[in-house]
Amino acid sequence: MNKTTWAMVTFSVGLGLSACGEEAGGPTVEQVAKAYEMYMNVNLATELGQRIEVRGWEDFKPGCKSSGPERVKCITGGKVELMGFQGGEQTVPKPVSVPAEFDLEFEKRENTWVPVRAQKK
């Protein structure tokens, strides 16, 4: 997957978690965390021959607000727990907690929130 197609991966809306912001029906915290993971893998980790997984988002604080028709922007805060992999092997024994560095924008397509943009803080 290249940098221009990362946004084409969709996420199911009905995961049973609350919306990440005041925007009723917006993406869940899990959806925002997974979009964050996907963005990091496409734009950062693959350049190093690595893969990153978001393993924990309990301290991840995205606030999502409408940014246009069928669009929400999620300003991230807090921390995510990341696990790195190199050649299929874990690079550290347990996930590392790091501050959220990217804000994400989602667009609703066919009743699904799709990440369309990420911006470094």
Side-chain angles (χ1 to χ4, degrees), residues 20 28-37 54 56-64 74-81 97-104 106 121:
C20 70
T28 65
V29 173
E30 182 177 11
Q31 288 171 307
V32 177
K34 291 300 181 181
Y36 191 94
E37 172 186 283
V54 173
W57 49 85
E58 292 79 21
D59 296 324
F60 188 49
K61 308 286 187 239
C64 301
C74 299
I75 305 299
T76 61
K79 296 183 176 190
V80 289
E81 291 183 7
S97 184
V98 297
E101 295 183 9
F102 302 96
D103 297 329
L104 300 157
F106 291 80
K121 295 180 176 283

PDB file of all heavy atoms in Angstrom, residues 20 28-37 54 56-64 74-81 97-104 106 121:
ATOM      1  N   CYS A  20     -15.668   8.980  19.417  1.00  0.00           N
ATOM      2  CA  CYS A  20     -14.514   9.602  20.050  1.00  0.00           C
ATOM      3  C   CYS A  20     -14.750  11.049  20.417  1.00  0.00           C
ATOM      4  O   CYS A  20     -13.967  11.619  21.148  1.00  0.00           O
ATOM      5  CB  CYS A  20     -13.279   9.481  19.174  1.00  0.00           C
ATOM      6  SG  CYS A  20     -13.345  10.480  17.681  1.00  0.00           S
ATOM      7  N   THR A  28     -15.111   5.617  16.122  1.00  0.00           N
ATOM      8  CA  THR A  28     -14.820   5.224  17.497  1.00  0.00           C
ATOM      9  C   THR A  28     -13.355   5.496  17.821  1.00  0.00           C
ATOM     10  O   THR A  28     -12.547   5.718  16.920  1.00  0.00           O
ATOM     11  CB  THR A  28     -15.092   3.720  17.710  1.00  0.00           C
ATOM     12  OG1 THR A  28     -14.169   2.988  16.904  1.00  0.00           O
ATOM     13  CG2 THR A  28     -16.526   3.342  17.361  1.00  0.00           C
ATOM     14  N   VAL A  29     -13.016   5.448  19.092  1.00  0.00           N
ATOM     15  CA  VAL A  29     -11.626   5.608  19.506  1.00  0.00           C
ATOM     16  C   VAL A  29     -10.780   4.518  18.851  1.00  0.00           C
ATOM     17  O   VAL A  29      -9.675   4.771  18.368  1.00  0.00           O
ATOM     18  CB  VAL A  29     -11.494   5.565  21.046  1.00  0.00           C
ATOM     19  CG1 VAL A  29     -10.040   5.553  21.467  1.00  0.00           C
ATOM     20  CG2 VAL A  29     -12.217   6.743  21.675  1.00  0.00           C
ATOM     21  N   GLU A  30     -11.306   3.308  18.780  1.00  0.00           N
ATOM     22  CA  GLU A  30     -10.573   2.214  18.145  1.00  0.00           C
ATOM     23  C   GLU A  30     -10.339   2.502  16.661  1.00  0.00           C
ATOM     24  O   GLU A  30      -9.246   2.258  16.140  1.00  0.00           O
ATOM     25  CB  GLU A  30     -11.307   0.889  18.310  1.00  0.00           C
ATOM     26  CG  GLU A  30     -10.548  -0.272  17.695  1.00  0.00           C
ATOM     27  CD  GLU A  30     -11.217  -1.618  17.903  1.00  0.00           C
ATOM     28  OE1 GLU A  30     -12.376  -1.667  18.348  1.00  0.00           O
ATOM     29  OE2 GLU A  30     -10.569  -2.622  17.593  1.00  0.00           O
ATOM     30  N   GLN A  31     -11.340   3.023  15.970  1.00  0.00           N
ATOM     31  CA  GLN A  31     -11.179   3.348  14.559  1.00  0.00           C
ATOM     32  C   GLN A  31     -10.105   4.414  14.358  1.00  0.00           C
ATOM     33  O   GLN A  31      -9.296   4.322  13.437  1.00  0.00           O
ATOM     34  CB  GLN A  31     -12.500   3.835  13.965  1.00  0.00           C
ATOM     35  CG  GLN A  31     -13.506   2.725  13.795  1.00  0.00           C
ATOM     36  CD  GLN A  31     -14.856   3.263  13.415  1.00  0.00           C
ATOM     37  OE1 GLN A  31     -15.396   4.135  14.083  1.00  0.00           O
ATOM     38  NE2 GLN A  31     -15.393   2.755  12.331  1.00  0.00           N
ATOM     39  N   VAL A  32     -10.082   5.418  15.224  1.00  0.00           N
ATOM     40  CA  VAL A  32      -9.072   6.460  15.118  1.00  0.00           C
ATOM     41  C   VAL A  32      -7.691   5.868  15.394  1.00  0.00           C
ATOM     42  O   VAL A  32      -6.727   6.149  14.689  1.00  0.00           O
ATOM     43  CB  VAL A  32      -9.375   7.641  16.053  1.00  0.00           C
ATOM     44  CG1 VAL A  32      -8.266   8.692  15.997  1.00  0.00           C
ATOM     45  CG2 VAL A  32     -10.720   8.287  15.710  1.00  0.00           C
ATOM     46  N   ALA A  33      -7.588   5.005  16.409  1.00  0.00           N
ATOM     47  CA  ALA A  33      -6.304   4.367  16.738  1.00  0.00           C
ATOM     48  C   ALA A  33      -5.815   3.498  15.587  1.00  0.00           C
ATOM     49  O   ALA A  33      -4.623   3.505  15.250  1.00  0.00           O
ATOM     50  CB  ALA A  33      -6.431   3.539  18.014  1.00  0.00           C
ATOM     51  N   LYS A  34      -6.701   2.746  14.955  1.00  0.00           N
ATOM     52  CA  LYS A  34      -6.302   1.895  13.832  1.00  0.00           C
ATOM     53  C   LYS A  34      -5.909   2.725  12.609  1.00  0.00           C
ATOM     54  O   LYS A  34      -4.988   2.363  11.872  1.00  0.00           O
ATOM     55  CB  LYS A  34      -7.405   0.894  13.477  1.00  0.00           C
ATOM     56  CG  LYS A  34      -7.617  -0.162  14.541  1.00  0.00           C
ATOM     57  CD  LYS A  34      -6.352  -0.963  14.755  1.00  0.00           C
ATOM     58  CE  LYS A  34      -6.510  -2.044  15.767  1.00  0.00           C
ATOM     59  NZ  LYS A  34      -5.284  -2.800  15.996  1.00  0.00           N
ATOM     60  N   ALA A  35      -6.583   3.853  12.377  1.00  0.00           N
ATOM     61  CA  ALA A  35      -6.185   4.745  11.288  1.00  0.00           C
ATOM     62  C   ALA A  35      -4.811   5.345  11.586  1.00  0.00           C
ATOM     63  O   ALA A  35      -3.979   5.485  10.687  1.00  0.00           O
ATOM     64  CB  ALA A  35      -7.220   5.856  11.098  1.00  0.00           C
ATOM     65  N   TYR A  36      -4.563   5.653  12.843  1.00  0.00           N
ATOM     66  CA  TYR A  36      -3.265   6.167  13.275  1.00  0.00           C
ATOM     67  C   TYR A  36      -2.182   5.130  12.987  1.00  0.00           C
ATOM     68  O   TYR A  36      -1.140   5.440  12.421  1.00  0.00           O
ATOM     69  CB  TYR A  36      -3.354   6.463  14.775  1.00  0.00           C
ATOM     70  CG  TYR A  36      -2.205   7.239  15.354  1.00  0.00           C
ATOM     71  CD1 TYR A  36      -2.284   8.615  15.453  1.00  0.00           C
ATOM     72  CD2 TYR A  36      -1.070   6.609  15.831  1.00  0.00           C
ATOM     73  CE1 TYR A  36      -1.244   9.349  16.010  1.00  0.00           C
ATOM     74  CE2 TYR A  36      -0.026   7.323  16.380  1.00  0.00           C
ATOM     75  CZ  TYR A  36      -0.120   8.702  16.470  1.00  0.00           C
ATOM     76  OH  TYR A  36       0.910   9.411  17.018  1.00  0.00           O
ATOM     77  N   GLU A  37      -2.460   3.875  13.342  1.00  0.00           N
ATOM     78  CA  GLU A  37      -1.526   2.779  13.080  1.00  0.00           C
ATOM     79  C   GLU A  37      -1.254   2.644  11.586  1.00  0.00           C
ATOM     80  O   GLU A  37      -0.103   2.529  11.155  1.00  0.00           O
ATOM     81  CB  GLU A  37      -2.116   1.482  13.625  1.00  0.00           C
ATOM     82  CG  GLU A  37      -1.350   0.226  13.249  1.00  0.00           C
ATOM     83  CD  GLU A  37      -2.079  -1.024  13.690  1.00  0.00           C
ATOM     84  OE1 GLU A  37      -2.027  -1.330  14.888  1.00  0.00           O
ATOM     85  OE2 GLU A  37      -2.722  -1.675  12.841  1.00  0.00           O
ATOM     86  N   VAL A  54      -0.645  -0.617  16.893  1.00  0.00           N
ATOM     87  CA  VAL A  54      -1.163   0.053  18.076  1.00  0.00           C
ATOM     88  C   VAL A  54      -1.785  -1.043  18.929  1.00  0.00           C
ATOM     89  O   VAL A  54      -2.723  -1.704  18.509  1.00  0.00           O
ATOM     90  CB  VAL A  54      -2.206   1.135  17.722  1.00  0.00           C
ATOM     91  CG1 VAL A  54      -2.847   1.694  18.981  1.00  0.00           C
ATOM     92  CG2 VAL A  54      -1.564   2.254  16.923  1.00  0.00           C
ATOM     93  N   GLY A  56      -2.514  -0.556  22.389  1.00  0.00           N
ATOM     94  CA  GLY A  56      -3.348  -0.010  23.449  1.00  0.00           C
ATOM     95  C   GLY A  56      -3.724   1.422  23.160  1.00  0.00           C
ATOM     96  O   GLY A  56      -2.921   2.201  22.657  1.00  0.00           O
ATOM     97  N   TRP A  57      -4.975   1.750  23.444  1.00  0.00           N
ATOM     98  CA  TRP A  57      -5.434   3.115  23.230  1.00  0.00           C
ATOM     99  C   TRP A  57      -6.274   3.597  24.406  1.00  0.00           C
ATOM    100  O   TRP A  57      -7.053   4.527  24.291  1.00  0.00           O
ATOM    101  CB  TRP A  57      -6.196   3.248  21.913  1.00  0.00           C
ATOM    102  CG  TRP A  57      -7.255   2.232  21.693  1.00  0.00           C
ATOM    103  CD1 TRP A  57      -8.544   2.262  22.126  1.00  0.00           C
ATOM    104  CD2 TRP A  57      -7.115   1.007  20.976  1.00  0.00           C
ATOM    105  NE1 TRP A  57      -9.213   1.143  21.726  1.00  0.00           N
ATOM    106  CE2 TRP A  57      -8.352   0.350  21.016  1.00  0.00           C
ATOM    107  CE3 TRP A  57      -6.054   0.410  20.306  1.00  0.00           C
ATOM    108  CZ2 TRP A  57      -8.567  -0.887  20.412  1.00  0.00           C
ATOM    109  CZ3 TRP A  57      -6.274  -0.820  19.714  1.00  0.00           C
ATOM    110  CH2 TRP A  57      -7.514  -1.448  19.755  1.00  0.00           C
ATOM    111  N   GLU A  58      -6.072   2.996  25.584  1.00  0.00           N
ATOM    112  CA  GLU A  58      -6.819   3.398  26.764  1.00  0.00           C
ATOM    113  C   GLU A  58      -6.529   4.850  27.147  1.00  0.00           C
ATOM    114  O   GLU A  58      -7.398   5.542  27.661  1.00  0.00           O
ATOM    115  CB  GLU A  58      -6.510   2.481  27.958  1.00  0.00           C
ATOM    116  CG  GLU A  58      -7.023   1.057  27.791  1.00  0.00           C
ATOM    117  CD  GLU A  58      -6.135   0.190  26.900  1.00  0.00           C
ATOM    118  OE1 GLU A  58      -4.943   0.514  26.706  1.00  0.00           O
ATOM    119  OE2 GLU A  58      -6.650  -0.820  26.375  1.00  0.00           O
ATOM    120  N   ASP A  59      -5.309   5.337  26.899  1.00  0.00           N
ATOM    121  CA  ASP A  59      -4.926   6.711  27.227  1.00  0.00           C
ATOM    122  C   ASP A  59      -4.933   7.621  26.002  1.00  0.00           C
ATOM    123  O   ASP A  59      -4.438   8.731  26.053  1.00  0.00           O
ATOM    124  CB  ASP A  59      -3.527   6.728  27.869  1.00  0.00           C
ATOM    125  CG  ASP A  59      -3.500   5.990  29.196  1.00  0.00           C
ATOM    126  OD1 ASP A  59      -4.502   6.057  29.935  1.00  0.00           O
ATOM    127  OD2 ASP A  59      -2.489   5.336  29.477  1.00  0.00           O
ATOM    128  N   PHE A  60      -5.487   7.138  24.896  1.00  0.00           N
ATOM    129  CA  PHE A  60      -5.578   7.891  23.648  1.00  0.00           C
ATOM    130  C   PHE A  60      -6.825   8.759  23.732  1.00  0.00           C
ATOM    131  O   PHE A  60      -7.902   8.267  24.044  1.00  0.00           O
ATOM    132  CB  PHE A  60      -5.674   6.892  22.495  1.00  0.00           C
ATOM    133  CG  PHE A  60      -5.577   7.481  21.115  1.00  0.00           C
ATOM    134  CD1 PHE A  60      -4.577   8.362  20.775  1.00  0.00           C
ATOM    135  CD2 PHE A  60      -6.471   7.086  20.132  1.00  0.00           C
ATOM    136  CE1 PHE A  60      -4.467   8.864  19.484  1.00  0.00           C
ATOM    137  CE2 PHE A  60      -6.374   7.565  18.841  1.00  0.00           C
ATOM    138  CZ  PHE A  60      -5.371   8.463  18.516  1.00  0.00           C
ATOM    139  N   LYS A  61      -6.683  10.045  23.477  1.00  0.00           N
ATOM    140  CA  LYS A  61      -7.796  10.977  23.639  1.00  0.00           C
ATOM    141  C   LYS A  61      -8.062  11.759  22.349  1.00  0.00           C
ATOM    142  O   LYS A  61      -7.702  12.917  22.239  1.00  0.00           O
ATOM    143  CB  LYS A  61      -7.492  11.971  24.768  1.00  0.00           C
ATOM    144  CG  LYS A  61      -7.071  11.350  26.072  1.00  0.00           C
ATOM    145  CD  LYS A  61      -8.233  10.718  26.773  1.00  0.00           C
ATOM    146  CE  LYS A  61      -7.830  10.248  28.153  1.00  0.00           C
ATOM    147  NZ  LYS A  61      -8.004   8.867  28.397  1.00  0.00           N
ATOM    148  N   PRO A  62      -8.703  11.136  21.363  1.00  0.00           N
ATOM    149  CA  PRO A  62      -9.058  11.907  20.172  1.00  0.00           C
ATOM    150  C   PRO A  62     -10.369  12.655  20.393  1.00  0.00           C
ATOM    151  O   PRO A  62     -11.325  12.100  20.933  1.00  0.00           O
ATOM    152  CB  PRO A  62      -9.210  10.840  19.090  1.00  0.00           C
ATOM    153  CG  PRO A  62      -9.587   9.604  19.826  1.00  0.00           C
ATOM    154  CD  PRO A  62      -8.956   9.712  21.191  1.00  0.00           C
ATOM    155  N   GLY A  63     -10.391  13.900  20.027  1.00  0.00           N
ATOM    156  CA  GLY A  63     -11.619  14.682  20.073  1.00  0.00           C
ATOM    157  C   GLY A  63     -12.063  14.957  18.654  1.00  0.00           C
ATOM    158  O   GLY A  63     -11.355  15.619  17.901  1.00  0.00           O
ATOM    159  N   CYS A  64     -13.211  14.409  18.253  1.00  0.00           N
ATOM    160  CA  CYS A  64     -13.662  14.507  16.869  1.00  0.00           C
ATOM    161  C   CYS A  64     -14.804  15.505  16.748  1.00  0.00           C
ATOM    162  O   CYS A  64     -15.759  15.451  17.501  1.00  0.00           O
ATOM    163  CB  CYS A  64     -14.101  13.146  16.364  1.00  0.00           C
ATOM    164  SG  CYS A  64     -12.804  11.891  16.424  1.00  0.00           S
ATOM    165  N   CYS A  74     -10.308  14.647  13.822  1.00  0.00           N
ATOM    166  CA  CYS A  74     -10.018  14.131  15.152  1.00  0.00           C
ATOM    167  C   CYS A  74      -8.666  14.667  15.601  1.00  0.00           C
ATOM    168  O   CYS A  74      -7.631  14.284  15.055  1.00  0.00           O
ATOM    169  CB  CYS A  74     -10.024  12.605  15.149  1.00  0.00           C
ATOM    170  SG  CYS A  74     -11.618  11.916  14.672  1.00  0.00           S
ATOM    171  N   ILE A  75      -8.709  15.569  16.574  1.00  0.00           N
ATOM    172  CA  ILE A  75      -7.500  16.116  17.172  1.00  0.00           C
ATOM    173  C   ILE A  75      -7.098  15.134  18.266  1.00  0.00           C
ATOM    174  O   ILE A  75      -7.864  14.872  19.189  1.00  0.00           O
ATOM    175  CB  ILE A  75      -7.746  17.520  17.764  1.00  0.00           C
ATOM    176  CG1 ILE A  75      -8.334  18.467  16.716  1.00  0.00           C
ATOM    177  CG2 ILE A  75      -6.467  18.076  18.387  1.00  0.00           C
ATOM    178  CD1 ILE A  75      -7.471  18.708  15.516  1.00  0.00           C
ATOM    179  N   THR A  76      -5.921  14.568  18.142  1.00  0.00           N
ATOM    180  CA  THR A  76      -5.511  13.529  19.075  1.00  0.00           C
ATOM    181  C   THR A  76      -4.751  14.121  20.256  1.00  0.00           C
ATOM    182  O   THR A  76      -4.114  15.152  20.154  1.00  0.00           O
ATOM    183  CB  THR A  76      -4.629  12.471  18.386  1.00  0.00           C
ATOM    184  OG1 THR A  76      -3.455  13.093  17.898  1.00  0.00           O
ATOM    185  CG2 THR A  76      -5.379  11.796  17.246  1.00  0.00           C
ATOM    186  N   GLY A  77      -4.853  13.415  21.339  1.00  0.00           N
ATOM    187  CA  GLY A  77      -4.126  13.754  22.550  1.00  0.00           C
ATOM    188  C   GLY A  77      -3.871  12.475  23.312  1.00  0.00           C
ATOM    189  O   GLY A  77      -4.301  11.394  22.917  1.00  0.00           O
ATOM    190  N   GLY A  78      -3.185  12.563  24.402  1.00  0.00           N
ATOM    191  CA  GLY A  78      -2.896  11.376  25.190  1.00  0.00           C
ATOM    192  C   GLY A  78      -1.802  10.546  24.558  1.00  0.00           C
ATOM    193  O   GLY A  78      -0.945  11.061  23.843  1.00  0.00           O
ATOM    194  N   LYS A  79      -1.856   9.265  24.829  1.00  0.00           N
ATOM    195  CA  LYS A  79      -0.801   8.360  24.367  1.00  0.00           C
ATOM    196  C   LYS A  79      -1.385   7.108  23.734  1.00  0.00           C
ATOM    197  O   LYS A  79      -2.499   6.709  24.038  1.00  0.00           O
ATOM    198  CB  LYS A  79       0.082   7.949  25.540  1.00  0.00           C
ATOM    199  CG  LYS A  79       0.830   9.115  26.138  1.00  0.00           C
ATOM    200  CD  LYS A  79       1.750   8.660  27.233  1.00  0.00           C
ATOM    201  CE  LYS A  79       2.550   9.857  27.729  1.00  0.00           C
ATOM    202  NZ  LYS A  79       3.616   9.465  28.617  1.00  0.00           N
ATOM    203  N   VAL A  80      -0.594   6.500  22.847  1.00  0.00           N
ATOM    204  CA  VAL A  80      -0.914   5.193  22.280  1.00  0.00           C
ATOM    205  C   VAL A  80       0.237   4.258  22.637  1.00  0.00           C
ATOM    206  O   VAL A  80       1.365   4.695  22.811  1.00  0.00           O
ATOM    207  CB  VAL A  80      -1.110   5.232  20.751  1.00  0.00           C
ATOM    208  CG1 VAL A  80      -2.389   5.935  20.393  1.00  0.00           C
ATOM    209  CG2 VAL A  80       0.063   5.849  20.031  1.00  0.00           C
ATOM    210  N   GLU A  81      -0.081   2.996  22.760  1.00  0.00           N
ATOM    211  CA  GLU A  81       0.947   1.990  23.004  1.00  0.00           C
ATOM    212  C   GLU A  81       1.287   1.321  21.690  1.00  0.00           C
ATOM    213  O   GLU A  81       0.419   0.761  21.025  1.00  0.00           O
ATOM    214  CB  GLU A  81       0.461   0.961  24.019  1.00  0.00           C
ATOM    215  CG  GLU A  81       0.323   1.532  25.404  1.00  0.00           C
ATOM    216  CD  GLU A  81      -0.093   0.494  26.426  1.00  0.00           C
ATOM    217  OE1 GLU A  81      -0.161  -0.715  26.096  1.00  0.00           O
ATOM    218  OE2 GLU A  81      -0.363   0.896  27.560  1.00  0.00           O
ATOM    219  N   SER A  97       4.669   3.181  25.288  1.00  0.00           N
ATOM    220  CA  SER A  97       3.683   4.257  25.324  1.00  0.00           C
ATOM    221  C   SER A  97       4.322   5.543  24.800  1.00  0.00           C
ATOM    222  O   SER A  97       5.362   5.977  25.296  1.00  0.00           O
ATOM    223  CB  SER A  97       3.193   4.445  26.763  1.00  0.00           C
ATOM    224  OG  SER A  97       2.190   5.415  26.810  1.00  0.00           O
ATOM    225  N   VAL A  98       3.699   6.138  23.762  1.00  0.00           N
ATOM    226  CA  VAL A  98       4.224   7.362  23.158  1.00  0.00           C
ATOM    227  C   VAL A  98       3.095   8.379  22.986  1.00  0.00           C
ATOM    228  O   VAL A  98       1.942   8.005  22.800  1.00  0.00           O
ATOM    229  CB  VAL A  98       4.890   7.093  21.787  1.00  0.00           C
ATOM    230  CG1 VAL A  98       6.086   6.180  21.923  1.00  0.00           C
ATOM    231  CG2 VAL A  98       3.900   6.537  20.796  1.00  0.00           C
ATOM    232  N   PRO A  99       3.429   9.670  23.040  1.00  0.00           N
ATOM    233  CA  PRO A  99       2.407  10.693  22.814  1.00  0.00           C
ATOM    234  C   PRO A  99       1.872  10.632  21.382  1.00  0.00           C
ATOM    235  O   PRO A  99       2.619  10.341  20.446  1.00  0.00           O
ATOM    236  CB  PRO A  99       3.145  12.014  23.040  1.00  0.00           C
ATOM    237  CG  PRO A  99       4.430  11.670  23.697  1.00  0.00           C
ATOM    238  CD  PRO A  99       4.727  10.239  23.359  1.00  0.00           C
ATOM    239  N   ALA A 100       0.585  10.909  21.227  1.00  0.00           N
ATOM    240  CA  ALA A 100      -0.025  10.960  19.893  1.00  0.00           C
ATOM    241  C   ALA A 100       0.573  12.130  19.115  1.00  0.00           C
ATOM    242  O   ALA A 100       0.652  13.243  19.633  1.00  0.00           O
ATOM    243  CB  ALA A 100      -1.531  11.118  20.021  1.00  0.00           C
ATOM    244  N   GLU A 101       1.025  11.875  17.891  1.00  0.00           N
ATOM    245  CA  GLU A 101       1.704  12.895  17.092  1.00  0.00           C
ATOM    246  C   GLU A 101       0.943  13.333  15.847  1.00  0.00           C
ATOM    247  O   GLU A 101       1.368  14.261  15.172  1.00  0.00           O
ATOM    248  CB  GLU A 101       3.065  12.364  16.634  1.00  0.00           C
ATOM    249  CG  GLU A 101       4.032  12.105  17.745  1.00  0.00           C
ATOM    250  CD  GLU A 101       5.390  11.644  17.216  1.00  0.00           C
ATOM    251  OE1 GLU A 101       5.614  11.698  15.993  1.00  0.00           O
ATOM    252  OE2 GLU A 101       6.206  11.222  18.034  1.00  0.00           O
ATOM    253  N   PHE A 102      -0.162  12.660  15.510  1.00  0.00           N
ATOM    254  CA  PHE A 102      -0.872  12.962  14.280  1.00  0.00           C
ATOM    255  C   PHE A 102      -2.352  13.180  14.548  1.00  0.00           C
ATOM    256  O   PHE A 102      -2.963  12.447  15.318  1.00  0.00           O
ATOM    257  CB  PHE A 102      -0.732  11.817  13.271  1.00  0.00           C
ATOM    258  CG  PHE A 102       0.690  11.498  12.931  1.00  0.00           C
ATOM    259  CD1 PHE A 102       1.359  10.475  13.571  1.00  0.00           C
ATOM    260  CD2 PHE A 102       1.366  12.240  11.979  1.00  0.00           C
ATOM    261  CE1 PHE A 102       2.676  10.182  13.282  1.00  0.00           C
ATOM    262  CE2 PHE A 102       2.688  11.954  11.675  1.00  0.00           C
ATOM    263  CZ  PHE A 102       3.340  10.930  12.331  1.00  0.00           C
ATOM    264  N   ASP A 103      -2.925  14.193  13.900  1.00  0.00           N
ATOM    265  CA  ASP A 103      -4.362  14.403  13.896  1.00  0.00           C
ATOM    266  C   ASP A 103      -4.893  13.792  12.613  1.00  0.00           C
ATOM    267  O   ASP A 103      -4.197  13.769  11.594  1.00  0.00           O
ATOM    268  CB  ASP A 103      -4.698  15.895  13.953  1.00  0.00           C
ATOM    269  CG  ASP A 103      -4.218  16.539  15.248  1.00  0.00           C
ATOM    270  OD1 ASP A 103      -4.194  15.843  16.280  1.00  0.00           O
ATOM    271  OD2 ASP A 103      -3.876  17.737  15.224  1.00  0.00           O
ATOM    272  N   LEU A 104      -6.132  13.295  12.659  1.00  0.00           N
ATOM    273  CA  LEU A 104      -6.689  12.570  11.515  1.00  0.00           C
ATOM    274  C   LEU A 104      -8.025  13.155  11.093  1.00  0.00           C
ATOM    275  O   LEU A 104      -8.790  13.632  11.927  1.00  0.00           O
ATOM    276  CB  LEU A 104      -6.888  11.097  11.889  1.00  0.00           C
ATOM    277  CG  LEU A 104      -5.615  10.369  12.298  1.00  0.00           C
ATOM    278  CD1 LEU A 104      -5.939   9.172  13.153  1.00  0.00           C
ATOM    279  CD2 LEU A 104      -4.848   9.952  11.072  1.00  0.00           C
ATOM    280  N   PHE A 106     -11.558  12.156   8.842  1.00  0.00           N
ATOM    281  CA  PHE A 106     -12.336  11.048   8.295  1.00  0.00           C
ATOM    282  C   PHE A 106     -13.459  11.586   7.427  1.00  0.00           C
ATOM    283  O   PHE A 106     -13.971  12.676   7.663  1.00  0.00           O
ATOM    284  CB  PHE A 106     -12.970  10.222   9.428  1.00  0.00           C
ATOM    285  CG  PHE A 106     -11.997   9.443  10.246  1.00  0.00           C
ATOM    286  CD1 PHE A 106     -11.259  10.050  11.255  1.00  0.00           C
ATOM    287  CD2 PHE A 106     -11.828   8.086  10.032  1.00  0.00           C
ATOM    288  CE1 PHE A 106     -10.362   9.330  12.020  1.00  0.00           C
ATOM    289  CE2 PHE A 106     -10.937   7.356  10.792  1.00  0.00           C
ATOM    290  CZ  PHE A 106     -10.206   7.975  11.783  1.00  0.00           C
ATOM    291  N   LYS A 121       1.453  16.959  14.225  1.00  0.00           N
ATOM    292  CA  LYS A 121       1.253  18.114  15.110  1.00  0.00           C
ATOM    293  C   LYS A 121       2.407  19.066  15.037  1.00  0.00           C
ATOM    294  O   LYS A 121       3.513  18.730  14.795  1.00  0.00           O
ATOM    295  CB  LYS A 121       1.069  17.659  16.548  1.00  0.00           C
ATOM    296  CG  LYS A 121      -0.196  16.858  16.718  1.00  0.00           C
ATOM    297  CD  LYS A 121      -0.319  16.431  18.169  1.00  0.00           C
ATOM    298  CE  LYS A 121      -1.604  15.722  18.382  1.00  0.00           C
ATOM    299  NZ  LYS A 121      -2.766  16.520  18.465  1.00  0.00           N
TER     300      LYS A 121
END
